[in-house]
Every structure is written in structure tokens, then in C-alpha cells.
Amino acid sequence: MDIKFIQFQSHGDERGSLVSLEGHKNMPFTIKRVYYIFDTKEKVRRGFHAHKQLKQLAIVLKGSCRFLLDDGKEKIELLLDNPSQGLFIESFVWREMYDFSEDCVLLVLADSFYDESDYIRDYQEFIEMATHDS
Ligand code: T46
């Protein structure tokens, strides 16, 4: 599986750091929705789904967490702990998020509005759909 991290330019000076995200400039899509996950409880695992269409970029603004990405052929585990880097998550990739640090703030930028019908929440169904054309 091709894992894409997007490295953002961090404008740092003696006051601190600033990262700017601009649709189609340093972002792979136009942002239609932003959400963030925080205050995650110990030993929690989230996600457990793939998307039919949705493309997203995940950025840990504070702390760290791990992602499991699975395209139906390969599973890859990644640590996110750098607010200057975004993890691009394609459609038809099963994701699970876990090992959230207590202070973790996970920002997600999405190319579409929230739509429950875009979710594939059954792993077997995901495997069948993801491997259908390969
Ligand atoms: C994803 C991973 C990384 C909304 O009402 N609007 C929204 O935009 C979102 C994302 C969620 N919700 C509601 C739906 C549920 O009642 O918030 C609740 C929690 O959502 P969910 O259980 O889907 O959260 P996660 O952490 O399992 O997954 C989320 C995203 O849903 C998903 O698209 O890729 O983060």
C-alpha cells in the first residue's frame, strides 16, 4: 500500500510555529468538512470502517496516536505525532485509531460532507468490495 504523508511548511520563529493549509495548494483536495477527536479514553480503539468515496487528511495537532490502515491486501501501522505532517487516507482503506496519548488532538480534513451511507462498517463486506476488481 502506498502511504502518503504530506509535509507542511512550518513557519517557525522565536514566537512558535504556524502551519497553513490551503485547498489544492498544499492539500490534495478542497476541504469540505473538518472534525477533531480529543479527550479520548484509555485503551480506546476507534474507526473500524472504510469509506466508499471519502478522502481525508489526518493531522495530530497535539500528542500522538496510531493508525492501522488496511487496503484489503496489506495492513500498515503508523504513528502520528508530528503536527507538520498529514496522513492522506484514500477511499477503500479500512482504518483503526488507537494508542491515543492523553493529550491527543486529532484533526481530520475531509473532501465531503458527513454521509453515513459512505461508510463500510462490516470488515467482510469491505474485503469483498476492496478485492473485487483486483
Ligand atoms: C474516519 C475516522 C478517522 C458526525 O455527526 N459528523 C462527522 O463529521 C463525523 C466524522 C462523525 N459524526 C458523528 C457520527 C457518530 O455518531 O460522530 C459520532 C462518532 O463518529 P464515528 O464513530 O464515526 O468516529 P470514529 O472516530 O470511529 O471515525 C471518525 C470518522 O467518522 C471517520 O470518517 O475516517 O474518524
Side-chain angles (χ1 to χ4, degrees), residues 23-107:
H24 285 302
K25 282 197 179 171
N26 58 356
M27 282 286 300
F29 51 75
T30 301
I31 303 160
K32 273 208 176 161
R33 178 165 54 106
V34 175
Y35 60 91
Y36 44 96
I37 296 170
F38 63 102
D39 201 18
T40 309
K41 306 304 173 214
E42 218 183 321
K43 300 206 169 91
V44 152
R45 214 169 165 105
R46 305 184 62 117
F48 295 96
H49 60 259
H51 284 281
K52 295 175 194 162
Q53 303 278 346
L54 189 71
K55 293 177 177 45
Q56 302 189 104
L57 195 78
I59 307 166
V60 162
L61 295 185
K62 192 167 172 60
S64 63
C65 73
R66 288 182 198 278
F67 266 76
L68 167 78
L69 297 182
D70 174 356
D71 66 357
K73 299 181 200 90
E74 190 184 2
K75 294 180 190 195
I76 295 182
E77 294 184 86
L78 301 158
L79 175 71
L80 262 68
D81 62 356
N82 181 350
S84 302
Q85 259 187 359
L87 172 65
F88 182 55
I89 310 171
E90 264 287 1
S91 50
F92 279 104
V93 174
W94 186 266
R95 80 283 322 263
E96 295 171 23
M97 301 89 79
Y98 56 100
D99 278 359
F100 290 89
S101 64
E102 218 180 304
D103 59 347
C104 182
V105 181
L106 173 63
L107 178 77

Coordinates of all heavy atoms in Angstrom, one line a residue, residues 23-107:
G23 N -6.6 24.6 0.3 CA -7.1 23.7 -0.6 C -6.4 23.8 -2.0 O -6.2 24.9 -2.5
H24 N -6.0 22.6 -2.5 CA -5.3 22.5 -3.8 C -3.9 23.2 -3.8 O -3.3 23.1 -4.9 CB -6.2 22.9 -4.9 CG -7.3 21.9 -5.2 ND1 -7.0 20.6 -5.5 CD2 -8.6 22.0 -5.2 CE1 -8.1 20.0 -5.7 NE2 -9.1 20.8 -5.5
K25 N -3.5 23.8 -2.7 CA -2.1 24.3 -2.8 C -1.2 23.3 -2.1 O -0.4 22.6 -2.7 CB -2.1 25.7 -2.1 CG -2.6 26.8 -3.0 CD -2.1 28.1 -2.5 CE -2.6 29.2 -3.4 NZ -2.4 30.6 -2.8
N26 N -1.4 23.1 -0.8 CA -0.7 22.1 -0.1 C -1.6 21.0 0.4 O -1.2 20.1 1.2 CB 0.2 22.6 1.1 CG -0.7 23.4 2.1 OD1 -1.9 23.5 2.0 ND2 0.0 23.8 3.2
M27 N -2.9 21.0 0.0 CA -3.8 20.0 0.3 C -4.2 19.2 -1.0 O -4.3 19.8 -2.0 CB -5.1 20.6 0.8 CG -5.0 21.1 2.3 SD -5.1 19.7 3.4 CE -6.7 19.0 3.0
P28 N -4.4 17.9 -0.8 CA -4.7 17.1 -2.1 C -6.2 17.3 -2.5 O -6.5 16.7 -3.5 CB -4.4 15.7 -1.6 CG -4.5 15.6 -0.2 CD -4.2 17.0 0.3
F29 N -7.0 18.0 -1.8 CA -8.4 18.2 -2.2 C -8.9 19.5 -1.6 O -8.2 20.1 -0.8 CB -9.2 17.0 -1.8 CG -9.1 16.6 -0.3 CD1 -9.6 17.4 0.7 CD2 -8.3 15.5 0.0 CE1 -9.4 17.1 2.0 CE2 -8.1 15.2 1.4 CZ -8.7 15.9 2.4
T30 N -10.1 19.9 -2.0 CA -10.8 21.0 -1.4 C -11.5 20.6 -0.2 O -12.2 19.6 -0.2 CB -11.8 21.6 -2.4 OG1 -11.1 22.0 -3.6 CG2 -12.5 22.8 -1.8
I31 N -11.2 21.3 0.9 CA -11.7 20.9 2.2 C -13.2 21.2 2.3 O -13.6 22.4 2.1 CB -11.0 21.6 3.4 CG1 -9.5 21.3 3.3 CG2 -11.5 21.2 4.7 CD1 -8.6 22.3 4.0
K32 N -14.1 20.2 2.6 CA -15.5 20.5 2.8 C -15.9 20.3 4.2 O -17.0 20.8 4.6 CB -16.3 19.5 1.9 CG -16.6 19.9 0.5 CD -17.8 19.3 0.0 CE -18.2 19.8 -1.4 NZ -19.1 19.0 -2.1
R33 N -15.1 19.6 5.0 CA -15.5 19.3 6.4 C -14.3 19.2 7.2 O -13.2 18.6 6.7 CB -16.3 18.0 6.4 CG -16.8 17.6 7.7 CD -17.9 16.5 7.6 NE -17.4 15.4 6.8 CZ -17.1 14.2 7.2 NH1 -17.1 13.9 8.5 NH2 -16.7 13.3 6.3
V34 N -14.4 19.6 8.4 CA -13.3 19.5 9.4 C -13.9 18.9 10.7 O -14.9 19.4 11.1 CB -12.6 20.9 9.7 CG1 -11.6 20.8 10.8 CG2 -12.1 21.5 8.4
Y35 N -13.2 17.9 11.3 CA -13.7 17.5 12.6 C -12.4 17.1 13.4 O -11.3 17.0 12.8 CB -14.7 16.3 12.5 CG -14.2 15.1 11.9 CD1 -13.5 14.1 12.6 CD2 -14.3 14.9 10.5 CE1 -13.1 12.9 12.0 CE2 -13.9 13.7 9.9 CZ -13.3 12.7 10.6 OH -12.9 11.6 10.0
Y36 N -12.6 17.0 14.7 CA -11.4 16.7 15.5 C -11.8 15.8 16.6 O -12.9 15.8 17.1 CB -10.7 17.9 16.0 CG -11.5 19.0 16.5 CD1 -11.8 19.2 17.9 CD2 -12.0 20.0 15.6 CE1 -12.5 20.2 18.4 CE2 -12.8 21.0 16.1 CZ -13.0 21.2 17.5 OH -13.8 22.2 17.9
I37 N -10.9 14.9 17.0 CA -11.1 13.9 18.0 C -10.2 14.2 19.2 O -9.0 14.4 19.0 CB -10.9 12.5 17.5 CG1 -11.9 12.2 16.3 CG2 -10.9 11.4 18.5 CD1 -11.5 10.9 15.5
F38 N -10.7 14.3 20.4 CA -9.9 14.7 21.6 C -10.6 14.0 22.8 O -11.7 13.5 22.7 CB -9.8 16.2 21.7 CG -11.2 16.9 21.9 CD1 -11.5 17.3 23.2 CD2 -12.1 17.1 20.9 CE1 -12.8 17.9 23.4 CE2 -13.3 17.7 21.1 CZ -13.6 18.1 22.4
D39 N -9.9 14.2 23.9 CA -10.4 13.6 25.2 C -10.7 12.1 25.1 O -11.7 11.6 25.6 CB -11.7 14.4 25.5 CG -12.0 14.3 27.0 OD1 -11.1 13.9 27.8 OD2 -13.1 14.6 27.4
T40 N -9.9 11.4 24.3 CA -10.1 10.0 24.1 C -9.7 9.2 25.3 O -8.6 9.5 25.9 CB -9.2 9.6 22.9 OG1 -9.5 10.5 21.8 CG2 -9.5 8.2 22.4
K41 N -10.5 8.3 25.6 CA -10.3 7.5 26.9 C -9.2 6.4 26.6 O -9.0 6.0 25.5 CB -11.6 6.9 27.4 CG -12.7 7.9 27.5 CD -12.3 9.0 28.5 CE -13.4 10.1 28.5 NZ -12.9 11.4 28.6
E42 N -8.6 6.0 27.8 CA -7.5 5.0 27.8 C -8.0 3.7 27.1 O -9.1 3.2 27.2 CB -7.1 4.7 29.2 CG -5.7 4.5 29.4 CD -5.4 4.1 30.8 OE1 -6.0 4.7 31.8 OE2 -4.5 3.3 31.1
K43 N -7.1 3.1 26.3 CA -7.3 1.8 25.6 C -8.4 1.8 24.6 O -8.9 0.8 24.2 CB -7.5 0.7 26.7 CG -6.3 0.5 27.6 CD -6.2 -0.9 28.1 CE -4.9 -1.2 28.9 NZ -5.0 -0.9 30.3
V44 N -8.9 3.0 24.2 CA -9.9 3.1 23.2 C -9.4 2.8 21.8 O -8.3 3.3 21.5 CB -10.6 4.5 23.3 CG1 -11.2 4.9 22.0 CG2 -11.6 4.5 24.4
R45 N -10.2 2.2 21.0 CA -9.9 1.9 19.6 C -11.1 2.4 18.8 O -12.2 2.1 19.1 CB -9.6 0.4 19.4 CG -8.6 0.1 18.3 CD -8.2 -1.3 18.3 NE -7.5 -1.6 17.1 CZ -6.2 -1.8 17.0 NH1 -5.4 -1.8 18.1 NH2 -5.6 -2.1 15.9
R46 N -10.8 3.3 17.9 CA -11.9 3.9 17.1 C -11.8 3.6 15.6 O -10.8 2.9 15.2 CB -11.9 5.5 17.2 CG -11.9 6.0 18.6 CD -11.9 7.5 18.6 NE -13.1 8.0 18.0 CZ -14.1 8.7 18.6 NH1 -13.9 9.0 19.9 NH2 -15.1 9.1 18.0
G47 N -12.7 4.0 14.8 CA -12.6 3.7 13.4 C -13.4 2.5 13.1 O -14.6 2.5 13.2
F48 N -12.7 1.4 12.7 CA -13.3 0.2 12.3 C -14.3 0.4 11.1 O -15.4 -0.1 11.2 CB -14.1 -0.5 13.5 CG -13.2 -0.9 14.6 CD1 -13.0 -0.1 15.7 CD2 -12.5 -2.2 14.5 CE1 -12.1 -0.5 16.7 CE2 -11.6 -2.5 15.6 CZ -11.5 -1.7 16.6
H49 N -13.8 1.0 10.1 CA -14.6 1.2 8.9 C -13.7 1.7 7.7 O -12.5 2.1 8.0 CB -15.7 2.3 9.1 CG -15.2 3.6 9.5 ND1 -15.2 4.1 10.8 CD2 -14.7 4.6 8.7 CE1 -14.7 5.3 10.8 NE2 -14.4 5.6 9.6
A50 N -14.3 1.6 6.6 CA -13.6 2.2 5.4 C -14.7 3.2 4.8 O -15.8 3.2 5.2 CB -13.2 1.1 4.4
H51 N -14.2 3.9 3.8 CA -15.2 4.8 3.1 C -15.2 4.4 1.6 O -14.2 4.1 1.0 CB -14.8 6.3 3.2 CG -15.1 6.8 4.6 ND1 -16.4 7.2 4.9 CD2 -14.3 7.0 5.7 CE1 -16.4 7.7 6.2 NE2 -15.2 7.5 6.7
K52 N -16.4 4.6 1.0 CA -16.5 4.3 -0.4 C -15.9 5.4 -1.3 O -15.3 5.1 -2.3 CB -18.0 4.1 -0.8 CG -18.7 2.9 -0.1 CD -20.2 2.9 -0.4 CE -20.9 1.9 0.6 NZ -22.3 2.2 0.7
Q53 N -16.1 6.6 -0.9 CA -15.7 7.7 -1.7 C -14.7 8.7 -1.0 O -13.8 9.3 -1.5 CB -16.9 8.6 -2.1 CG -17.9 7.9 -2.9 CD -17.6 7.7 -4.4 OE1 -16.7 8.4 -4.9 NE2 -18.3 6.8 -5.1
L54 N -15.0 8.8 0.3 CA -14.3 9.9 1.1 C -12.8 9.8 1.1 O -12.2 8.8 1.3 CB -14.9 9.9 2.5 CG -14.5 11.0 3.4 CD1 -15.2 12.3 3.0 CD2 -14.8 10.7 4.9
K55 N -12.2 11.0 0.9 CA -10.7 11.1 1.1 C -10.5 12.1 2.2 O -11.2 13.1 2.4 CB -10.1 11.6 -0.2 CG -10.2 10.6 -1.3 CD -9.6 11.2 -2.6 CE -9.6 10.2 -3.7 NZ -10.9 9.5 -3.9
Q56 N -9.5 11.8 3.0 CA -9.3 12.6 4.2 C -7.8 12.8 4.5 O -6.9 12.0 4.0 CB -9.9 11.9 5.4 CG -11.4 11.6 5.3 CD -12.0 11.1 6.6 OE1 -12.7 11.9 7.3 NE2 -11.7 9.9 6.9
L57 N -7.5 13.8 5.3 CA -6.1 14.0 5.7 C -6.2 14.1 7.2 O -7.0 14.9 7.8 CB -5.6 15.3 5.1 CG -4.1 15.5 5.2 CD1 -3.4 14.7 4.1 CD2 -3.7 16.9 5.0
A58 N -5.4 13.3 7.9 CA -5.4 13.3 9.4 C -4.1 13.9 9.9 O -3.0 13.6 9.4 CB -5.5 11.8 9.9
I59 N -4.2 14.8 10.8 CA -3.1 15.5 11.4 C -3.2 15.5 12.9 O -4.3 15.9 13.5 CB -3.0 17.0 10.9 CG1 -3.1 17.1 9.4 CG2 -1.8 17.7 11.5 CD1 -3.4 18.5 8.9
V60 N -2.2 15.0 13.6 CA -2.2 15.1 15.1 C -1.7 16.5 15.5 O -0.6 16.8 15.3 CB -1.4 14.0 15.7 CG1 -1.0 14.3 17.1 CG2 -2.2 12.7 15.6
L61 N -2.6 17.3 16.0 CA -2.2 18.7 16.4 C -1.5 18.6 17.7 O -0.6 19.5 18.0 CB -3.5 19.5 16.5 CG -4.2 19.8 15.3 CD1 -5.4 20.8 15.5 CD2 -3.3 20.3 14.2
K62 N -1.8 17.7 18.6 CA -1.1 17.6 19.9 C -1.1 16.1 20.3 O -2.0 15.4 20.0 CB -1.9 18.4 20.9 CG -1.2 18.6 22.2 CD -1.9 19.7 23.0 CE -1.3 19.8 24.4 NZ 0.1 20.1 24.4
G63 N 0.0 15.7 20.9 CA 0.1 14.3 21.4 C 0.4 13.4 20.3 O 1.0 13.7 19.3
S64 N -0.1 12.2 20.4 CA 0.2 11.1 19.4 C -1.0 10.1 19.4 O -1.7 9.9 20.4 CB 1.5 10.4 19.7 OG 1.4 9.8 20.9
C65 N -1.0 9.4 18.3 CA -1.9 8.2 18.2 C -1.4 7.3 17.1 O -0.6 7.7 16.3 CB -3.4 8.6 18.0 SG -3.8 9.2 16.4
R66 N -1.9 6.1 17.0 CA -1.5 5.2 16.0 C -2.7 4.9 15.1 O -3.8 4.9 15.5 CB -1.0 3.8 16.6 CG 0.3 4.0 17.2 CD 0.8 2.6 17.8 NE 1.8 2.9 18.8 CZ 3.1 3.1 18.5 NH1 3.5 3.1 17.2 NH2 4.0 3.3 19.4
F67 N -2.4 4.7 13.8 CA -3.4 4.3 12.8 C -3.0 2.9 12.3 O -1.8 2.6 12.0 CB -3.3 5.2 11.6 CG -4.3 6.4 11.7 CD1 -4.0 7.5 12.5 CD2 -5.4 6.4 10.9 CE1 -4.9 8.5 12.5 CE2 -6.3 7.4 10.9 CZ -6.1 8.5 11.8
L68 N -4.0 2.1 12.1 CA -3.9 0.9 11.3 C -4.6 1.1 10.0 O -5.8 1.5 10.0 CB -4.5 -0.3 12.0 CG -4.7 -1.6 11.1 CD1 -3.4 -2.3 11.0 CD2 -5.8 -2.5 11.7
L69 N -3.9 1.0 8.9 CA -4.5 1.2 7.6 C -4.4 -0.2 6.9 O -3.4 -0.8 6.9 CB -3.8 2.2 6.7 CG -3.8 3.7 7.3 CD1 -3.1 4.6 6.3 CD2 -5.2 4.2 7.6
D70 N -5.5 -0.5 6.2 CA -5.7 -1.9 5.6 C -6.4 -1.7 4.3 O -7.5 -1.2 4.3 CB -6.4 -2.7 6.6 CG -6.8 -4.1 6.1 OD1 -6.5 -4.4 4.9 OD2 -7.4 -4.9 6.9
D71 N -5.7 -2.0 3.2 CA -6.4 -1.9 1.9 C -7.0 -3.2 1.4 O -7.3 -3.3 0.2 CB -5.4 -1.3 0.8 CG -4.3 -2.2 0.5 OD1 -4.1 -3.3 1.1 OD2 -3.5 -1.8 -0.4
G72 N -7.0 -4.2 2.3 CA -7.6 -5.5 1.9 C -6.5 -6.4 1.5 O -6.7 -7.6 1.4
K73 N -5.3 -5.9 1.2 CA -4.1 -6.8 0.8 C -3.0 -6.7 1.8 O -2.3 -7.6 2.1 CB -3.6 -6.3 -0.6 CG -4.6 -6.4 -1.7 CD -3.9 -6.0 -3.0 CE -4.9 -5.6 -4.0 NZ -5.3 -4.1 -4.0
E74 N -2.9 -5.5 2.4 CA -1.8 -5.2 3.3 C -2.3 -4.4 4.5 O -3.1 -3.5 4.3 CB -0.7 -4.5 2.5 CG 0.6 -4.3 3.2 CD 1.5 -3.4 2.3 OE1 1.1 -2.9 1.2 OE2 2.7 -3.2 2.8
K75 N -1.7 -4.6 5.7 CA -2.0 -3.8 6.8 C -0.8 -3.1 7.3 O 0.3 -3.7 7.4 CB -2.5 -4.7 8.0 CG -3.8 -5.4 7.7 CD -4.2 -6.3 8.9 CE -5.4 -7.1 8.5 NZ -6.1 -7.7 9.5
I76 N -0.9 -1.8 7.5 CA 0.3 -1.0 7.9 C -0.1 -0.2 9.2 O -1.2 0.4 9.3 CB 0.7 0.0 6.8 CG1 1.2 -0.9 5.6 CG2 1.8 0.9 7.3 CD1 1.7 -0.1 4.5
E77 N 0.8 -0.2 10.2 CA 0.6 0.5 11.4 C 1.5 1.7 11.4 O 2.7 1.6 11.1 CB 0.8 -0.3 12.6 CG -0.2 -1.5 12.7 CD 0.0 -2.3 14.0 OE1 -0.6 -1.9 15.0 OE2 0.7 -3.3 13.9
L78 N 0.9 2.9 11.7 CA 1.7 4.1 11.7 C 1.5 4.9 12.9 O 0.4 4.9 13.5 CB 1.1 5.0 10.5 CG 1.2 4.4 9.1 CD1 0.2 5.1 8.2 CD2 2.6 4.5 8.5
L79 N 2.6 5.6 13.3 CA 2.5 6.5 14.5 C 2.4 8.0 14.0 O 3.1 8.4 13.1 CB 3.8 6.4 15.3 CG 3.8 7.4 16.5 CD1 2.8 7.0 17.6 CD2 5.3 7.4 17.1
L80 N 1.4 8.7 14.4 CA 1.2 10.1 14.1 C 1.6 10.9 15.3 O 0.9 10.8 16.4 CB -0.2 10.4 13.7 CG -0.5 10.4 12.2 CD1 -0.4 9.0 11.6 CD2 -1.9 11.0 11.9
D81 N 2.6 11.8 15.2 CA 3.0 12.6 16.3 C 3.6 13.9 15.9 O 4.3 14.5 16.7 CB 4.0 11.8 17.2 CG 5.3 11.4 16.5 OD1 5.4 11.7 15.3 OD2 6.2 10.8 17.2
N82 N 3.4 14.3 14.6 CA 4.0 15.5 14.1 C 2.9 16.4 13.5 O 2.4 16.1 12.5 CB 5.0 15.0 13.1 CG 5.8 16.2 12.5 OD1 5.4 17.4 12.7 ND2 6.8 15.9 11.7
P83 N 2.7 17.5 14.1 CA 1.6 18.5 13.6 C 2.0 19.1 12.3 O 1.2 19.8 11.7 CB 1.5 19.5 14.7 CG 2.7 19.4 15.6 CD 3.3 18.0 15.4
S84 N 3.2 18.9 11.8 CA 3.6 19.4 10.5 C 3.4 18.4 9.4 O 3.8 18.7 8.2 CB 5.1 19.9 10.5 OG 5.3 20.8 11.5
Q85 N 2.8 17.3 9.7 CA 2.6 16.2 8.7 C 1.2 15.7 8.7 O 0.5 15.6 9.7 CB 3.4 15.0 9.2 CG 4.7 14.8 8.4 CD 5.4 13.5 8.8 OE1 4.9 12.7 9.5 NE2 6.6 13.3 8.2
G86 N 0.7 15.5 7.5 CA -0.7 15.0 7.3 C -0.7 13.6 6.7 O 0.1 13.4 5.8
L87 N -1.5 12.7 7.2 CA -1.6 11.4 6.7 C -2.8 11.3 5.7 O -3.9 11.6 6.2 CB -1.8 10.3 7.8 CG -2.1 8.9 7.3 CD1 -0.9 8.3 6.6 CD2 -2.4 8.0 8.5
F88 N -2.5 11.1 4.5 CA -3.6 11.1 3.5 C -4.3 9.7 3.5 O -3.6 8.7 3.4 CB -3.0 11.4 2.1 CG -4.0 11.4 1.0 CD1 -5.1 12.2 1.1 CD2 -3.9 10.6 -0.1 CE1 -6.1 12.3 0.0 CE2 -4.8 10.6 -1.2 CZ -5.9 11.5 -1.1
I89 N -5.6 9.7 3.7 CA -6.3 8.4 3.7 C -7.3 8.3 2.6 O -8.2 9.1 2.5 CB -7.0 8.2 5.1 CG1 -6.1 8.5 6.2 CG2 -7.6 6.8 5.2 CD1 -6.8 8.6 7.6
E90 N -6.9 7.4 1.6 CA -7.7 7.2 0.4 C -9.1 6.5 0.8 O -9.2 6.0 1.9 CB -6.9 6.3 -0.5 CG -6.1 7.0 -1.6 CD -7.0 7.6 -2.7 OE1 -8.3 7.4 -2.6 OE2 -6.5 8.2 -3.6
S91 N -10.0 6.5 -0.2 CA -11.2 5.7 0.0 C -10.8 4.2 -0.1 O -9.7 3.9 -0.6 CB -12.2 6.0 -1.1 OG -11.6 6.0 -2.4
F92 N -11.7 3.4 0.3 CA -11.4 1.9 0.4 C -10.2 1.5 1.2 O -9.5 0.6 0.8 CB -11.4 1.3 -1.0 CG -12.8 1.1 -1.6 CD1 -13.4 1.9 -2.5 CD2 -13.6 0.1 -1.0 CE1 -14.7 1.8 -2.9 CE2 -14.9 -0.1 -1.5 CZ -15.5 0.7 -2.4
V93 N -10.0 2.2 2.2 CA -8.9 1.8 3.2 C -9.6 1.7 4.6 O -10.2 2.6 5.1 CB -7.8 2.9 3.2 CG1 -6.8 2.5 4.3 CG2 -7.1 2.9 1.9
W94 N -9.5 0.5 5.1 CA -10.0 0.2 6.5 C -9.1 0.9 7.5 O -7.9 0.9 7.3 CB -10.0 -1.3 6.7 CG -10.7 -1.7 8.0 CD1 -10.0 -1.9 9.2 CD2 -12.0 -1.9 8.2 NE1 -10.9 -2.3 10.2 CE2 -12.2 -2.3 9.6 CE3 -13.2 -1.9 7.4 CZ2 -13.4 -2.6 10.2 CZ3 -14.4 -2.2 8.0 CH2 -14.5 -2.6 9.3
R95 N -9.6 1.7 8.4 CA -8.8 2.3 9.4 C -9.3 2.1 10.8 O -10.5 2.0 11.1 CB -8.7 3.8 9.1 CG -9.9 4.8 9.6 CD -11.1 4.7 8.7 NE -10.9 4.6 7.3 CZ -10.9 5.7 6.5 NH1 -11.1 6.9 6.9 NH2 -10.7 5.5 5.2
E96 N -8.3 2.0 11.7 CA -8.5 1.9 13.1 C -7.5 2.9 13.8 O -6.3 3.0 13.3 CB -8.3 0.5 13.7 CG -9.3 -0.5 13.1 CD -9.1 -2.0 13.4 OE1 -8.4 -2.2 14.4 OE2 -9.6 -2.8 12.6
M97 N -7.9 3.6 14.8 CA -7.1 4.5 15.5 C -7.0 4.1 17.0 O -8.0 3.7 17.6 CB -7.6 5.9 15.4 CG -7.8 6.5 14.0 SD -9.4 6.1 13.4 CE -10.4 7.3 14.2
Y98 N -5.8 4.1 17.5 CA -5.6 3.6 18.9 C -4.4 4.2 19.5 O -3.7 5.0 18.9 CB -5.5 2.0 18.9 CG -4.5 1.5 17.9 CD1 -3.2 1.1 18.5 CD2 -4.6 1.5 16.6 CE1 -2.2 0.6 17.6 CE2 -3.6 1.0 15.7 CZ -2.4 0.6 16.3 OH -1.5 0.1 15.4
D99 N -4.1 3.8 20.7 CA -2.9 4.3 21.5 C -2.9 5.8 21.5 O -1.8 6.5 21.3 CB -1.6 3.8 20.9 CG -1.2 2.4 21.3 OD1 -2.0 1.8 22.1 OD2 -0.2 1.9 20.9
F100 N -4.0 6.4 21.8 CA -4.1 7.9 21.9 C -3.4 8.3 23.1 O -3.7 7.8 24.2 CB -5.6 8.3 22.0 CG -6.4 8.1 20.7 CD1 -7.0 6.9 20.4 CD2 -6.5 9.1 19.8 CE1 -7.8 6.8 19.3 CE2 -7.2 9.0 18.6 CZ -7.9 7.8 18.4
S101 N -2.5 9.3 23.0 CA -2.0 9.9 24.2 C -3.1 10.7 24.9 O -4.0 11.1 24.3 CB -0.7 10.7 23.9 OG -1.1 11.8 23.1
E102 N -2.9 10.9 26.2 CA -4.0 11.6 27.0 C -4.3 12.9 26.4 O -5.5 13.4 26.4 CB -3.5 11.7 28.4 CG -4.6 11.5 29.4 CD -4.0 11.7 30.8 OE1 -3.0 11.0 31.2 OE2 -4.5 12.6 31.6
D103 N -3.3 13.6 25.8 CA -3.4 15.0 25.3 C -3.7 15.0 23.8 O -3.7 16.1 23.2 CB -2.2 15.8 25.7 CG -0.9 15.2 25.0 OD1 -1.0 14.0 24.6 OD2 0.1 15.9 25.0
C104 N -4.0 13.9 23.2 CA -4.1 13.8 21.7 C -5.2 14.6 21.2 O -6.4 14.5 21.7 CB -4.2 12.4 21.3 SG -4.2 12.2 19.5
V105 N -4.9 15.4 20.2 CA -6.0 16.1 19.4 C -5.7 15.8 18.0 O -4.7 16.1 17.4 CB -5.9 17.7 19.6 CG1 -7.0 18.3 18.8 CG2 -6.0 18.1 21.1
L106 N -6.7 15.0 17.4 CA -6.5 14.5 16.1 C -7.5 15.3 15.2 O -8.7 15.2 15.3 CB -6.9 13.0 16.0 CG -6.9 12.4 14.6 CD1 -5.6 12.4 13.9 CD2 -7.4 10.9 14.7
L107 N -6.9 16.1 14.3 CA -7.7 16.9 13.3 C -7.9 16.1 12.0 O -6.9 15.5 11.5 CB -6.9 18.2 13.0 CG -7.6 19.1 12.0 CD1 -8.8 19.9 12.7 CD2 -6.6 20.1 11.5

